[in-house]
């Protein structure tokens, strides 16, 4: 049973002054395995004072948050050792006993929000030697796991802050794991863990307070830490809960803080990040917080959605679509399917004393062929929802586990092969012993008891090697990645084919009443070949670890915090990261599972990307900023090898990322009236080249811009005349057909290597054949209206529209703050979209609008009254006038 906690959400959002916070714990029934004191302290008070100092082996200077801090000199590891019990009146903290650590800063190798945590978690989660299958070796594998160095994820890190918080620890009752459940977030120590991070955050430099840190705190379920990071009083850095983390190794899923909080079931964190706005759009397909929460099997349980997110029963109702009705069986179909599966006689004992659950609290995919990679990623992987694929495993593969077929094997012969058994799959993980006697598989089938453990069902689990797979999957000659097999999703969804020892494969079997006790780990797929299996699972927030037999552990997990489902032969179950789960076998059962490290999970991302062809001087910087803010995971852009990517042409994108990726993406560009673009570009360059910028000297020379010519004192008529003379000179130097004709409109920016590239805007948008390759072309002058059209194509921009940050910022009376781009383009290899012209800007009025530029110049239409200039513009840009619908006579 579980304690119901009323999280102090409002205090976590407001009243952050000096970060005093007192959690109010609601009363409820307590599990016999947990003490009330242990549970009630899980979200106890935590406080941070801006003047706090570490009192320990070393005293560290608290950086000035208003002045940006700085990395300072080399610093040793700091351990907090001398703090007494917390007193909110005195800002005093509970003793940390050397568990709270601030690592020295190393800018070259510093850990941004838990890099080491993920890296080592993936390695150590699967540290068993999967090249061994011998049953004796598997027993050693158990003890090796328990005795090896503590996993890095035991030392959850948040930036440079670290608190040694074990993956599992014996519950504080007599008997420990055997008598109770270790609920991960409901230990007394969890309060100390939050206090450690709260205290440690005050000693980080401003440049370390990043969106990555916010995402990691959300993954870790640190409610008070997230509230502190989001508080404007904590740091001058404003964090974006919708921004993606900047992981250095790129070998983990990249989701924003709100998505990660939902995946963990942390409703209080969701409320802090969104300010209580359940209608906030949080992903690239336009779904809101409410959309995620109302999904069947959401990690945010209904009780938390109601009490914390204040959603009503009506809010939680899911609209039933025709598509959903094709995906999910109705009650009659369920009964028919169950009867059909039960008739699949495997020859193994189906005798059971247990009644089934009869319900399923997650999606049952009735037509597995409809579970595409895109649907898996968008509807289940990202929201962190479990599901069941009904009948996904082909019948020939299921039949390979029949008793008669196993009688032809060596390692799995029912009466000849002896295996080690125990009360749980891996007893040594919970300080237990296996049965002293090995058993045959047939003895397990008949629920034979271990003499020293009467009444306790026995179970066996092993990590098969490739030789074992050849015996288990003869249909595919041991190739579990066969496109004809039940594990084909590993190939189709994760691009996996060769054997990889990092994937923790398991085969398990046990008699009636046996099963896997409550535990948790990374995401996994579980196939059932024989028997019937009942699942009880809990969202990550309520995950736990136990050594009790599964049937006993199941009684200690209250229905309000668990989901359940029944699995039949041929069904495939998906359990996302960190969900607690246990299973109960009805009759003899055989199954297999694979745990997927994050570096494999990242390959599931099937989201269509965005290619924005950013033509210079078309107001693209604001568009780039909107895309980076609201659709960061989708935007294709920067790459090396001499090409910035910031201003890549369509041809360059296709050449670098491939035609298939381009065709599967949404592609668009913004164009501008050719004369307005040419005028804007000239005055921008004139201002830039007049400032003795050494980096721009060669570029100014190539673009024929006169140096040290200050136009500030020129009249409008003089400015118009000098533009005409410049344009004529530029045309004579780089006429159409000239190898460097592109300089008439822009520097090459890496695109000059392609023969398709020239001075026109059209040349930015064509592929290698010269055909326009983008899906949509928007006129800069109309973006105030067309931004809504773009948002229909890119739902991730809906937040931008809802917040009234519209295309008007791109097109309102003219250019956006794009006017420093060319300096970046020509002199800087970074992919920095930030602008720098606002500090010395002056306003220009005219039919095209207002520019944040350093020079005032007349309306661009006044430059269209010169016959020679018009003749040149028509010759050079005639294709742009025609393709983009601009009138030549302005």
């Amino acid at each position: 049973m579980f304690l119901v906690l009323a999280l102090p959400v409002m205090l976590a959002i407001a009243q952050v002054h000096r970060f005093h916070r007192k959690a109010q714990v609601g009363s409820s029934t307590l599990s016999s395995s947990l003490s009330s004191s242990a549970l009630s302290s899980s979200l106890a008070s935590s406080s941070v004072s801006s003047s706090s100092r570490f009192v320990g082996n070393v005293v560290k200077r608290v950086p000035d948050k208003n002045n940006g801090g700085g990395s300072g000199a080399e610093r040793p590891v700091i351990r907090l050792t001398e703090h007494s019990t917390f007193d909110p009146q005195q800002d005093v903290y509970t003793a940390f006993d050397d568990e709270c650590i601030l690592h020295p800063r190393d800018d070259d190798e510093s850990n941004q929000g838990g890099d080491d945590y993920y890296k080592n978690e993936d390695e150590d989660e699967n540290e068993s030697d999967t090249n061994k299958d011998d049953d004796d070796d598997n027993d050693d594998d158990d003890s090796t796991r328990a005795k090896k160095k503590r996993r890095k994820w035991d030392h959850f890190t948040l930036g440079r802050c670290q608190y040694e918080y074990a993956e599992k620890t014996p519950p504080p009752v007599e008997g420990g794991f055997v008598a109770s459940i270790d609920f991960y977030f409901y230990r007394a120590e969890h309060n100390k863990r939050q206090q450690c991070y709260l205290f440690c955050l005050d000693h980080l430099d401003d440049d370390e307070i990043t969106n990555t840190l916010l995402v990691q705190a959300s993954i870790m379920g640190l409610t008070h830490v997230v509230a502190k990071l989001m508080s404007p009083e904590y740091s001058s850095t404003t964090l974006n809960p919708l921004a993606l983390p900047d992981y250095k190794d790129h070998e983990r899923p990249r989701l924003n803080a709100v998505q990660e909080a939902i995946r963990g079931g942390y409703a209080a964190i969701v409320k802090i990040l969104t300010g209580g706005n359940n209608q906030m759009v949080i992903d690239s397909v336009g779904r809101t917080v409410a959309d995620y929460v109302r999904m069947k099997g959401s990690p945010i349980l209904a009780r938390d959605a109601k009490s914390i997110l204040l959603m009503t029963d009506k809010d939680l109702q899911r609209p039933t679509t025709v598509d959903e009705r094709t995906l999910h069986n109705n009650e009659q179909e369920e009964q028919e399917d169950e009867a059909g599966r039960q008739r699949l006689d495997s020859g193994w004992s189906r005798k059971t004393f247990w009644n089934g659950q009869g319900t399923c609290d997650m999606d049952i995919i009735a037509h597995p062929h409809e579970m595409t990679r895109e649907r898996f990623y968008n509807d289940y992987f990202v929201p962190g929802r479990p599901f069941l694929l009904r009948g996904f495993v082909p019948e020939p593969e299921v039949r390979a586990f029949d008793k008669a077929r196993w009688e032809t094997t060596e390692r799995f012969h029912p009466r000849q092969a002896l295996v080690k058994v125990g009360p749980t799959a891996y007893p040594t993980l919970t300080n237990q012993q296996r049965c002293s006697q090995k058993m045959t598989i047939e003895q397990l089938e008949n629920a034979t008891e271990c003499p020293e453990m009467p009444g306790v069902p026995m179970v066996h689990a092993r990590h098969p090697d490739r030789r074992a797979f050849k015996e288990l999957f003869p249909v595919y000659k041991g190739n579990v990645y066969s496109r004809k097999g039940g594990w084909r999703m590993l190939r189709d969804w994760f691009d996996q084919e060769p054997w990889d020892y990092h994937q923790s494969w398991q085969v398990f079997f046990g008699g009636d009443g046996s099963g896997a006790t409550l535990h948790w780990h990374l995401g996994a797929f579980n196939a059932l070949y024989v028997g019937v299996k009942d699942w009880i699972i809990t969202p990550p927030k309520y995950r736990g670890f136990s050594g009790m037999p599964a049937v006993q552990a199941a009684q200690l997990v209250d229905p309000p915090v668990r989901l359940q489902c029944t699995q039949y032969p041929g069904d495939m179950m998906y359990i996302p990261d960190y969900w607690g789960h246990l299973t109960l076998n009805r009759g003899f059962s055989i199954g297999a599972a694979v745990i997927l490290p994050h570096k494999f999970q990242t390959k599931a991302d099937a989201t269509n990307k965005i290619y924005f062809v950013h033509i210079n001087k078309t107001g693209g910087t604001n568009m780039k900023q909107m895309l980076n803010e609201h659709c960061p995971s989708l935007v294709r852009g920067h790459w090396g090898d001499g090409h910035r990517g910031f201003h890549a042409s369509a041809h360059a994108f296709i050449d670098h990322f491939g035609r298939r990726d381009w065709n599967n993406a949404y592609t668009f560009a913004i164009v501008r009236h050719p004369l307005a673009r040419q005028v804007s570009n000239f005055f921008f360059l004139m201002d830039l080249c007049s400032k003795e910028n050494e980096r721009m000297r060669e570029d100014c020379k190539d673009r024929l811009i006169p140096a040290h010519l200050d136009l500030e004192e020129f009249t409008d008529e003089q400015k118009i005349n000098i533009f005409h003379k410049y344009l004529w000179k530029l045309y004579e130097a780089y006429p159409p057909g000239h190898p460097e004709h592109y300089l008439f409109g822009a520097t090459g920016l890496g695109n000059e290597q392609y023969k398709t590239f020239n001075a026109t805007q059209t040349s930015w948008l064509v592929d290698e054949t010269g055909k326009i390759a983008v899906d949509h072309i928007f006129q800069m002058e109309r973006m105030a209206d067309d931004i809504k059209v773009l948002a229909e194509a890119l739902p991730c921009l809906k937040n931008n529209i809802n917040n009234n940050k519209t295309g008007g910022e791109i097109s309102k009376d003219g250019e956006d703050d794009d006017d420093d781009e060319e300096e970046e383009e020509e002199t800087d290899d970074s992919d920095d979209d930030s602008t720098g012209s606002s500090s010395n800007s002056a306003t220009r009025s005219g039919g095209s609008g207002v520019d944040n530029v350093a020079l005032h110049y007349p309306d661009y239409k006044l430059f269209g009254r010169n016959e020679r200039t018009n003749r040149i513009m028509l010759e050079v840009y005639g294709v742009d006038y025609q393709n983009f619908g601009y009138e030549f006579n302005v």
Side-chain angles (χ1 to χ4, degrees), residues 685 688-689 696-706:
L685 291 172
L688 201 63
C689 294
M696 287 293 297
R697 180 172 297 177
E698 289 301 318
D699 292 316
C700 293
K701 182 179 179 180
D702 290 342
R703 303 293 296 280
L704 307 182
I705 298 294

Side-chain angles (χ1 to χ4, degrees), residues 779-799:
Q779 292 183 347
M780 190 189 82
E781 297 83 355
R782 293 179 49 85
M783 280 307 296
D785 297 322
D786 289 347
I787 191 67
K788 296 179 180 179
V789 177
L790 182 62
E792 289 300 315
L794 299 176
C796 50
L797 289 181
K798 284 186 178 179
N799 273 346

Side-chain angles (χ1 to χ4, degrees), residues 137-389:
D137 291 333
N138 272 273
D139 185 58
D140 293 339
D141 174 71
D142 260 5
S143 58
T144 301
R145 280 174 173 260
K147 293 177 182 178
K148 280 188 176 182
K149 61 175 183 147
R150 296 176 90 185
R151 297 180 181 177
K152 196 71 174 186
W153 72 349
D154 295 351
H155 317 278
F156 272 121
T157 55
L158 188 66
R160 291 189 290 122
C161 303
Q162 174 179 311
Y163 185 80
E164 300 186 12
Y165 193 74
E167 169 201 354
K168 58 185 180 299
T169 188
V173 297
E174 184 178 354
F177 285 121
V178 180
S180 187
I181 298 174
D182 169 41
F183 290 108
Y184 186 80
F185 284 107
Y186 295 90
R187 306 173 190 162
E189 188 185 8
H190 182 61
N191 179 43
K192 293 168 63 177
R193 178 187 181 216
Q194 292 228 59
Q195 292 174 18
C196 167
Y197 292 125
L198 289 170
F199 201 43
C200 189
L201 285 180
D202 275 355
H203 296 72
L204 298 182
D205 299 322
D206 255 2
D207 63 340
E208 296 179 90
I209 310 304
T210 64
N211 292 316
T212 302
L213 205 68
L214 182 66
V215 171
Q216 184 61 19
S218 300
I219 293 172
M220 296 163 66
L222 301 173
T223 307
H224 297 327
V225 174
V226 170
K228 178 164 187 167
L229 289 170
M230 291 293 290
S231 168
E233 298 186 18
Y234 168 60
S235 171
S236 59
T237 303
T238 301
L239 300 183
N240 177 11
L242 299 180
L244 295 188
D246 183 19
Y247 295 139
K248 293 181 179 179
D249 56 18
H250 305 293
E251 289 191 348
R252 75 209 61 175
R254 294 177 69 239
L255 302 173
N256 64 50
V258 181
Q259 289 172 317
E260 291 289 12
I262 292 175
R263 282 166 58 92
Y266 312 129
I269 294 179
V270 173
K271 188 163 189 176
I272 293 167
L273 293 170
T274 62
N277 178 15
N278 296 329
Q279 299 307 314
M280 176 183 284
V281 176
I282 61 174
D283 66 15
S284 60
V285 294
R287 293 178 299 190
T288 65
V289 171
D291 290 333
Y292 274 56
V293 174
R294 67 170 61 99
M295 292 178 179
K296 190 173 184 180
S298 170
I300 301 287
L301 299 176
R303 70 170 203 168
D304 292 338
K306 293 177 181 179
S307 63
I308 298 173
L309 299 180
L310 306 182
M311 296 179 68
T312 64
D313 288 331
K314 183 177 180 181
D315 295 331
L316 293 173
Q317 289 179 355
R318 292 185 305 119
T320 303
T321 64
V322 173
D323 183 58
E324 282 183 318
R325 286 195 291 270
T326 66
L327 280 175
H328 308 297
N329 290 335
N330 58 35
E331 184 176 355
Q332 181 180 357
E333 289 173 331
E334 288 279 1
Q335 293 173 352
E336 293 173 353
D337 191 71
E338 178 180 352
R341 287 295 172 186
Q342 290 285 24
R343 286 194 297 269
L344 186 58
D345 187 6
S346 63
W348 298 99
S349 173
R350 288 164 40 199
K351 182 179 179 180
T352 181
F353 294 98
W354 306 95
N355 294 321
Q357 296 172 154
T359 61
C360 193
D361 300 319
M362 64 189 73
D363 283 348
I364 296 178
I365 312 303
H367 307 288
H369 65 276
E370 295 187 10
M371 178 58 86
T372 63
R373 180 175 185 166
E374 292 75 17
R375 173 162 281 158
F376 165 71
Y377 182 77
N378 288 318
D379 292 350
Y380 297 96
F381 182 86
V382 172
R385 296 195 296 146
F387 63 86
L388 185 76
L389 289 171

Side-chain angles (χ1 to χ4, degrees), residues 608-653:
N608 289 339
K609 303 301 179 183
I610 298 171
Y611 287 98
F612 170 51
V613 180
H614 185 179
I615 303 172
N616 70 313
K617 311 311 298 175
T618 59
T621 294
N622 268 344
M623 177 56 65
K624 290 282 287 187
Q625 290 173 341
M626 283 198 296
L627 292 174
N628 287 334
E629 179 178 359
H630 297 284
C631 315
S633 64
L634 306 182
V635 180
R636 289 291 201 186
H638 177 77
W639 67 90
D641 301 327
H643 201 300
R644 297 190 60 228
F646 178 60
H647 279 284
S649 67
H651 191 169
F653 274 132

Side-chain angles (χ1 to χ4, degrees), residues 419-424 427 434-435 437-439 444 458-460:
V419 297
K420 291 190 175 182
V421 298
T424 65
R434 293 187 184 272
C435 180
Q437 299 179 4
K438 291 184 179 181
M439 291 186 182
L444 277 177
M458 294 290 104
V459 66
H460 169 80

